[in-house]
Amino acid sequence: MSRQRSVRRTFLWLSWLPPALYVLGLAYVERFEGWGQWAAAPVLLPALVTSLTLGVVGAFLLLTELKRGGRLDWSLLAGTALASSVILYLWLRNVL
């Protein structure tokens, strides 16, 4: 198995992690009221960091695949969208 396939498989396996961390963090933060939610907000930071990191890795893998002349792999595109969904959701929520 080539190294790129191994990296790709690992990426696809980890792409569900940011949304799961975000949902779990929200479930914890919503138990508090008022300033307690603000104080517990750093619980959401791991979801943001993993979403940003895995989104960049997914974009890099997609660009590498396209640069090699390969076809667009829909599973890699879906994994990138899933991994970066948290950061995109929060960005769109604050922009719109």
Side-chain angles (χ1 to χ4, degrees):
M1 181 183 306
S2 70
R3 182 171 185 200
Q4 185 178 4
R5 272 192 149 180
S6 175
V7 169
R8 197 169 133 186
R9 183 176 293 186
T10 304
F11 169 74
L12 289 175
W13 191 81
L14 291 175
S15 64
W16 62 271
L17 193 58
L21 286 174
Y22 187 70
V23 168
L24 290 173
L26 272 181
Y28 177 74
V29 169
E30 286 180 353
R31 295 185 325 173
F32 301 105
E33 294 180 16
W35 285 102
Q37 287 183 338
W38 284 96
V43 171
L44 300 174
L45 285 177
L48 294 174
V49 171
T50 56
S51 180
L52 183 62
T53 304
L54 289 176
V56 168
V57 169
F60 179 75
L61 289 172
L62 277 170
L63 289 175
T64 303
E65 184 75 25
L66 291 175
K67 189 175 181 181
R68 287 186 178 184
R71 293 174 40 151
L72 183 62
D73 185 11
W74 292 103
S75 64
L76 192 57
L77 185 64
T80 303
L82 181 64
S84 60
S85 63
V86 173
I87 200 79
L88 290 174
Y89 167 72
L90 291 174
W91 179 69
L92 287 174
R93 184 175 147 195
N94 289 320
V95 168
L96 299 179

